[in-house]
């Protein structure tokens, strides 16, 4: 059985599209534009590792948001496994938000 090889960059772009469908419940901006995703790694086995943060360590979705991300990214056909790593180093700040997010929130 031959599988169609998927470019890891292409898969990375698909993952970003999925991340852009997930919103912080307190802020009407997706988690990617909000700057909560620090890095997305995809290896040749299509294992994905997502390094992310939350707006604060006391964030009410500290449990559910990483789980939602993991489930949605894992639902992509090519993705084999998803590992989530939560970090607060560096801590999230408004400087990490995209121009789009700042515009959306009236900060520009």
């Amino acid at each position: 059985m031959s599988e169609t090889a998927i470019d890891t960059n292409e898969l990375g772009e698909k993952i970003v599209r999925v991340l852009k469908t997930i919103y912080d419940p307190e802020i009407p901006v997706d988690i990617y534009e909000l700057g909560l995703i620090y890095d997305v790694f995809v290896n040749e086995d299509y294992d994905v590792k997502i390094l992310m943060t939350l707006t604060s360590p006391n964030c009410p979705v500290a449990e559910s948001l990483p789980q939602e991300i993991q489930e949605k990214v894992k639902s992509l056909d090519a993705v084999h496994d998803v590992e989530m790593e939560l970090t607060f180093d560096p801590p999230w700040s408004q400087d990490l938000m995209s121009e789009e997010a700042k515009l959306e929130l009236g900060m520009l």
Side-chain angles (χ1 to χ4, degrees):
M1 185 170 112
S2 69
E3 287 185 38
T4 310
I6 294 178
D7 184 345
T8 52
N9 288 335
E10 185 183 324
L11 184 54
E13 287 171 20
K14 284 183 179 178
I15 292 166
V16 167
R17 282 199 292 278
V18 167
L19 295 174
K20 287 184 174 192
T21 69
I22 303 169
Y23 286 78
D24 183 291
E26 298 172 335
I27 307 169
V29 174
D30 72 75
I31 60 170
Y32 190 82
E33 297 298 337
L34 211 49
L36 297 181
I37 304 299
Y38 286 169
D39 222 332
V40 176
F41 305 95
V42 181
N43 70 15
E44 60 279 352
D45 295 326
Y46 306 122
D47 291 325
V48 177
K49 180 175 180 180
I50 298 174
L51 181 63
M52 69 169 293
T53 193
L54 299 169
T55 51
S56 82
N58 308 336
C59 184
V61 292
E63 294 292 317
S64 60
L65 190 62
Q67 188 175 353
E68 179 184 357
I69 294 166
Q70 188 170 22
E71 286 169 5
K72 286 192 173 175
V73 171
K74 204 168 184 174
S75 73
L76 288 169
D77 288 342
V79 172
H80 178 253
D81 197 20
V82 179
E83 178 188 339
M84 300 297 303
E85 184 175 330
L86 205 53
T87 184
F88 292 99
D89 182 29
W92 180 84
S93 75
Q94 294 180 347
D95 296 340
L96 297 170
M97 292 167 55
S98 70
E99 297 289 313
E100 270 180 60
K102 289 177 183 174
L103 192 62
E104 180 76 28
L105 297 173
M107 296 168 67
L108 284 180

